[in-house]
Amino acid sequence: MGKATGFLEYEREEGRVTSPLERIQNFHEFHALLPMEEQQKQGARCMDCGVPFCQAGMMIAGMASGCPLHNLIPEMNDLVYHGNWAQAYVRLSATHCLPEFTSRVCPALCEAACTCGISDAPVSTKENERRVIEYAFANGLVSGDPPRVRTGKSVAVVGSGPAGLAAALLLNRRGHSVTVYERSDRPGGLLRYGIPNMKLEKSVIDRRIHLMEQAGVRFVCGTDIGKDLTGEELLSRYDRVLLACGASQPRDLDVPGRESKGIHFAVEFLSHVTKTLLDSDFSKLPDEDVKGKQVLVIGGGDTGNDCVGTAVRLGAAGVMQLEMMPQPPAERLPSNPWPEWPRVGKTDYGQEEAAAVFGSDPRRYQTTVKEFLADENGSVRSAVLVSLRPEKDEATGRLRMVPVEGSEEEIPADFVLIAAGFTGCEAYSADTFGVTISARGNVDAASDSCATSVPRVFAAGDMRRGQSLVVWAIAEGEAAAKAIDESLMGYTNL
Ligand SMILES: Cc1cc2nc3c(=O)[nH]c(=O)nc-3n(C[C@H](O)[C@H](O)[C@H](O)COP(=O)(O)OP(=O)(O)OC[C@H]3O[C@@H](n4cnc5c(N)ncnc54)[C@H](O)[C@@H]3O)c2cc1C
Ligand code: SF4
């Protein structure tokens, strides 16, 4: 512990955030970093607790508490405090191979479990992490880790999201020849075409891909496994295959009028926006469908928030976001004590922006759509909303949300985005290998061995655990790399 009284002396400080009205003028990141000396003080706030829950990454009350990668957080924070940035990078890399992504988009499970957070603001570990990795990039400390010796073994990774990238990086570092197959035109998975550019600049992905290519990883984009190449073909060419195709099957709405024009799935919309921006080098705004429209976003989660922020940037005339569940409390309830993940309400960037532009928070809780109404051209023009109330399901004992009779209300909506979650992986990517899929729609594989029901085929990331977080995808990719290495070499030193 660098400074015994750091947590008493220094307040939590974060890098400057551009104001909502200013940042919606473009699609660029808006979180600046603190100056180096200020960041060091933030490292000094870490108390190096005897039991650092921040790095535990364990399940408590069914929710993850602490960092799933088990980053050595107190050690990294101490090195930050001492300004030993190079060594801090070494510590961070011991557990984490892609910190430039989590330090931008992670919900910071570490900070929710920080001891400082019991009575005060938690240590800003996520920003410390970003300062460390950006220092490392700026000072040429990050390489693609080219191996000194090649093992003569080959691995195909299907899917280039964070799980596939983490696995490919480690397997290549170990000396195996790695080819990553991606059906999209660019690598990155949801990092590229899902998470909007203002949350994660796509140049951050390109920077990493470039290093990985230099180190020998081969990326084959525009190739859809199960359509352009079969599972059998891949297994005949490679010693091992890792399936990391994500869980991109969107949950739909089964209501009258759903077939109307102008109703889209969230990721389809977000991908189209990012692709247009990237293809035009940020000179073209894909605003033709959204500008001047009343946008309705169905789904109160992070994806819905990304849709709100994107619609605001594209000039929507109004945005409403529906959430089926009741509004969460502002502070932890006694039934949800530290270090459990806090089930509290938060206002994310998109909601802040909508409030700044339209004067109020766009969210409506305990509400869903009962029906869409279309105009004479078949384009959606309005939605009939209905309020919901919680009711105990006698069979399961669980609460479910049921419609409140007579609460129907018609609102104008001429552009609708469905962000209601995902139901699992797309079956064809699994079926081409014949791997078993669970009742929840994910590939059946144990979390440690990552082995599927088919020999030599492994699975990781959202495709195995269901739609989750970038930090979990990276943890899964790292675990899969170890399992594959062990199966190839008889042991692993990854
Ligand atoms: C809109 C949105 C915003 C999000 N924001 C956050 C956030 O802020 N923070 C956070 O932690 N998490 C966020 N998430 C969740 C996070 O992005 C995912 O959990 C994570 O990307 C999963 O990684 P993955 O590698 O398992 O799969 P993915 O990132 O989904 O990548 C899978 C890749 O496989 C490719 N693929 C699929 N099938 C095939 C095939 N047959 N052949 C070839 N390629 C194939 C796909 O094209 C894709 O590129 C968000 C998710 C969404 C949808
Ligand atoms: S990866 Fe996420 S949970 Fe882990 S230390 Fe970084 S910000 Fe915290």
Side-chain angles (χ1 to χ4, degrees):
M1 179 177 180
K3 190 163 175 61
T5 53
F7 71 102
L8 295 171
E9 286 177 41
Y10 306 124
E11 297 285 324
R12 179 180 167 120
E13 301 279 348
E14 289 174 26
R16 183 180 168 272
V17 178
T18 311
S19 73
L21 291 178
E22 206 180 324
R23 70 194 187 221
I24 60 166
Q25 304 305 323
N26 60 57
F27 276 82
H28 294 298
E29 283 184 6
F30 50 84
H31 278 101
L33 280 167
L34 288 171
M36 303 288 268
E37 318 74 57
E38 289 303 315
Q39 202 78 55
Q40 286 180 233
K41 287 183 189 164
Q42 296 305 306
R45 292 186 72 238
C46 182
M47 297 187 284
D48 191 13
C49 312
V51 183
F53 281 97
C54 58
Q55 66 184 35
M58 60 202 281
M59 299 303 284
I60 305 180
M63 293 170 294
S65 171
C67 178
L69 286 158
H70 310 296
N71 282 354
L72 304 167
I73 293 168
E75 294 178 37
M76 183 193 78
N77 282 334
D78 180 50
L79 290 159
V80 166
Y81 163 60
H82 283 104
N84 195 343
W85 299 100
Q87 200 56 37
Y89 169 61
V90 173
R91 270 294 176 282
L92 181 57
S93 320
T95 52
H96 194 352
C97 60
L98 300 166
E100 66 271 32
F101 302 135
T102 50
S103 61
R104 288 174 164 81
V105 304
C106 191
L109 289 77
C110 52
E111 295 185 18
C114 171
T115 310
C116 260
I118 299 176
S119 58
D120 197 353
V123 174
S124 54
T125 296
K126 179 174 160 183
E127 275 201 14
N128 291 354
E129 182 177 307
R130 184 161 154 219
R131 178 50 95 187
V132 170
I133 184 63
E134 289 308 321
Y135 172 92
F137 269 110
N139 289 278
L141 303 178
V142 187
S143 84
D145 282 334
R148 261 178 277 169
V149 185
R150 286 281 170 193
T151 59
K153 313 277 185 195
S154 60
V155 182
V157 174
V158 187
S160 64
L165 290 181
L169 193 153
L170 294 193
L171 288 165
N172 181 65
R173 177 193 292 174
R174 178 74 160 109
H176 308 310
S177 298
V178 181
T179 305
V180 180
Y181 288 94
E182 171 55 58
R183 67 181 173 188
S184 286
D185 60 340
R186 294 177 171 92
L190 288 172
L191 296 173
R192 173 84 61 182
Y193 291 133
I195 298 176
N197 199 73
M198 52 272 193
K199 242 161 73 175
L200 173 66
E201 291 279 353
K202 305 311 164 195
S203 55
V204 174
I205 309 172
D206 297 334
R207 179 176 69 175
R208 175 60 73 175
I209 300 291
H210 180 61
L211 283 176
M212 288 174 68
E213 282 178 332
Q214 275 184 339
V217 178
R218 201 163 72 93
F219 286 90
V220 181
C221 288
T223 301
D224 197 335
I225 305 302
K227 292 183 182 167
D228 301 324
L229 280 174
T230 64
E232 201 180 332
E233 282 172 302
L234 228 58
L235 280 167
S236 70
R237 292 185 198 175
Y238 297 91
D239 295 311
R240 298 289 181 273
V241 173
L242 174 63
L243 295 177
C245 302
S248 42
Q249 196 64 53
R251 179 172 289 116
D252 208 345
L253 276 185
D254 184 15
V255 296
R258 163 67 183 90
E259 70 292 346
S260 314
K261 284 183 250 169
I263 303 177
H264 307 272
F265 285 118
V267 172
E268 229 174 66
F269 165 70
L270 294 169
S271 312
H272 168 68
V273 173
T274 301
K275 183 163 162 46
T276 311
L277 291 170
L278 292 179
D279 286 352
S280 67
D281 202 13
F282 289 85
S283 65
K284 183 174 181 317
L285 270 192
D287 58 1
E288 59 280 356
D289 292 330
V290 181
K291 201 167 187 175
K293 296 269 176 79
Q294 292 293 339
V295 177
L296 178 65
V297 178
I298 301 164
D302 292 346
T303 303
N305 171 67
D306 289 334
C307 290
V308 172
T310 302
V312 168
R313 279 169 178 72
L314 295 180
V319 183
M320 183 186 284
Q321 186 184 11
L322 303 184
E323 166 59 55
M324 286 179 75
M325 301 307 289
Q327 182 167 10
E331 291 188 357
R332 283 178 186 277
L333 296 176
S335 56
N336 173 219
W338 178 93
E340 285 180 16
W341 175 254
R343 285 185 304 239
V344 295
K346 62 169 186 170
T347 298
D348 214 330
Y349 76 96
Q351 289 130 10
E352 253 181 27
E353 292 162 358
V357 175
F358 305 115
S360 62
D361 192 300
R363 286 169 290 186
R364 281 238 335 231
Y365 292 91
Q366 295 188 228
T367 306
T368 192
V369 171
K370 191 175 173 185
E371 183 180 2
F372 293 111
L373 301 174
D375 63 15
E376 60 283 5
N377 301 318
S379 299
V380 66
R381 65 170 168 78
S382 66
V384 178
L385 307 186
V386 63
S387 303
L388 301 169
R389 65 178 167 79
E391 185 185 83
K392 197 168 175 184
D393 184 328
E394 293 307 330
T396 61
R398 288 200 182 147
L399 282 184
R400 58 191 179 120
M401 302 304 288
V402 294
V404 176
E405 233 175 273
S407 65
E408 289 80 1
E409 175 196 355
E410 186 180 336
I411 58 141
D414 43 9
F415 192 75
V416 177
L417 294 167
I418 302 177
F422 300 85
T423 57
C425 66
E426 289 173 70
Y428 77 91
S429 319
D431 290 348
T432 187
F433 292 92
V435 298
T436 312
I437 296 184
S438 72
R440 295 181 60 207
N442 310 318
V443 171
D444 246 338
S447 60
D448 47 355
S449 73
C450 304
T452 68
S453 55
V454 173
R456 300 199 286 127
V457 180
F458 297 72
D462 281 4
M463 195 177 193
R464 196 200 68 78
R465 70 181 297 126
Q467 184 67 218
S468 185
L469 293 173
V470 170
V471 64
W472 277 112
I474 295 171
E476 294 238 340
E478 291 187 358
K482 287 177 193 161
I484 291 172
D485 185 38
E486 195 168 345
S487 83
L488 285 170
M489 310 299 284
Y491 73 101
T492 183
N493 55 12
L494 282 174

